[in-house]
Amino acid sequence: MFDGFWDNVFRYPRYFITTLLGVFLNAFGWIEPVFKRPATLIAFISLLVGILVFVSFTLRAMLGLSTI
């Protein structure tokens, strides 16, 4: 009655990982052409770092933490 039950149970993590990977690749597939040219890659990385610094400084000011 329960032939292969544990085999099926152990397949779910693999299914979850492949589904998550597929969603990630589809959601961020538009970034791939940006990485092919060095100028746009540098601009993209600079933008990400700038956003991170901005959010960090904003949160520090809102929470009253020291800036450095």
Side-chain angles (χ1 to χ4, degrees):
M1 180 174 174
F2 292 107
D3 293 339
F5 172 76
W6 290 110
D7 290 335
N8 284 334
V9 169
F10 291 130
R11 287 182 193 169
Y12 282 108
R14 184 176 58 181
Y15 173 75
F16 176 71
I17 290 170
T18 55
T19 304
L20 196 63
L21 185 61
V23 168
F24 179 77
L25 290 175
N26 278 325
F28 297 108
W30 61 272
I31 296 177
E32 183 182 358
V34 172
F35 293 145
K36 291 185 179 179
R37 294 180 45 202
T40 56
L41 177 63
I42 292 171
F44 186 73
I45 291 174
S46 299
L47 178 69
L48 286 178
V49 168
I51 290 172
L52 225 144
V53 168
F54 175 76
V55 169
S56 172
F57 283 151
T58 303
L59 287 175
R60 285 180 178 269
M62 289 174 66
L63 296 173
L65 301 173
S66 65
T67 55
I68 294 184

